[in-house]
Amino acid sequence: MAASVIVLGAGMVGVSVALHLQRRGRAVTLLDRQAPGEGASFGNGGLIQREAVHPHPFPRSFSELRRIAGNTALDVHYHPGALPGFASPLLRYWWHSEPTRYEHAARAFAALITTCLDEHRALAEGTEAMALLRPIGWMKLYSDAATFDAALAQARAAHEHHGVNYTVLDSMGLAAAEPHLQVSRLGAIHFTDPYSVSDPHALTLSYARQFEAAGGRFVHGDAMTLSRAGSGWRVQGAEDPIEAEDVVIALGAAAANLTRRFGYAPPTFGKRGYHRHYRMRGNATLNRPMLDTESRFLLAPMRAGVRLTTGAEFAANDAPPTPIQLERAEPIARSLLPLAERVEETPWMGIRPCTPDMLPIIGPLPGQPGAWCAFGHAHQGLTLGPTTGRLLADMMCGEAPFLDPTPYRAERF
């Protein structure tokens, strides 16, 4: 075989898998149509979310469903014609969000999340990547007392059960922490553990450079050409076919399109997201990422400027971009901060790969010896890439997994 492992997909998850396998002495080829980190890993809030021990459930209250159904919300937008294609996975998502089933998913999700800082540090320490991992956390702002009290109760429970650290700011403390905030809020919760990544694309590229420096190979190619080659696998690179004993499918939202050809059709679905950067007026600054719960979008300081990141858009994967949420959010963002001109006129768009039970798919591809899955991380691919890489490498190399992989097995679908 020309290589012992082919990793399909060079986002944060795929790069992390490739790097962990390379560190264990496997000969690895990383393949993607684009350069590393140019898919969903490029556009996100730039947070390594140690506090995110609870995944995003499907809303179950009538008032919340009615708010979303109006299709005017800032955090959720949908193309009406695309909804029939989402009916089955969203119904399963709703089913898994029932409180008892959700609690089971949350325990499994928290087991992954609580490792994220250590696993990123294990890849970043001693490299230029450490400068990208800013230990400043992020803040959630509140203007309603009942909502604030409920959030504080949840934060206390997360601290007690999962070691999530935070501080509470009143209105004056928030104004002191963010002196250029142009509105008054009742208070904020500052989650102190998460890293704020100043350039998520650069972080993926840094890990990819480590992989290549250790002897790994990156090639351009079409993952959809994957086929059996004897007892192994073959895929077409830009110049030559590549063969290997094992293959890892880390293609994010496109993964199920490939696995279906090999008899595995998980009910995954994509949430589209957008971002755009803005400069600040004069000497104004934003000190740390913040999400204003009244406005429902994230603003984060990045190398390129202040990044405005939208929530979820439900649309056909091949539908043209419709950055309606950005257009709705921008005037509100300008009321929150002294934003100046847009850095780029055309916003970025990507697709977050989601599963109905809110857990990623990590482990062997059913019925296909030598094929492995690493996809379905929804909003947390940046956070969980190194954790997934280590867990899958443990399994592939016959080592005792550092976490119980059972909740993430592909066979659950």
Side-chain angles (χ1 to χ4, degrees), residues 300-389:
M302 300 271 182
R303 281 179 172 177
V306 172
R307 178 178 290 186
L308 194 168
T309 304
T310 68
E313 180 183 65
F314 294 91
N317 286 350
D318 58 354
T322 52
I324 293 170
Q325 290 163 293
L326 276 178
E327 300 303 326
R328 292 172 177 167
E330 182 177 314
I332 300 171
R334 291 186 181 281
S335 73
L336 297 174
L337 293 173
L339 300 181
E341 70 275 14
R342 297 170 174 176
V343 173
E344 63 277 291
E345 191 55 37
T346 301
W348 176 89
M349 185 198 81
I351 303 174
R352 303 179 185 102
C354 303
T355 64
D357 67 355
M358 297 157 279
L359 299 175
I361 299 172
I362 306 170
L365 179 64
Q368 298 293 337
W372 304 80
C373 302
F375 57 88
H377 293 77
H379 298 261
Q380 300 298 350
L382 183 72
T383 294
L384 294 176
T387 295
T388 299

Side-chain angles (χ1 to χ4, degrees), residues 86 158 173 187 222 239 290 345 358 372 385:
F86 285 93
D222 184 359
E239 298 180 359
M290 68 177 192
E345 191 55 37
M358 297 157 279
W372 304 80

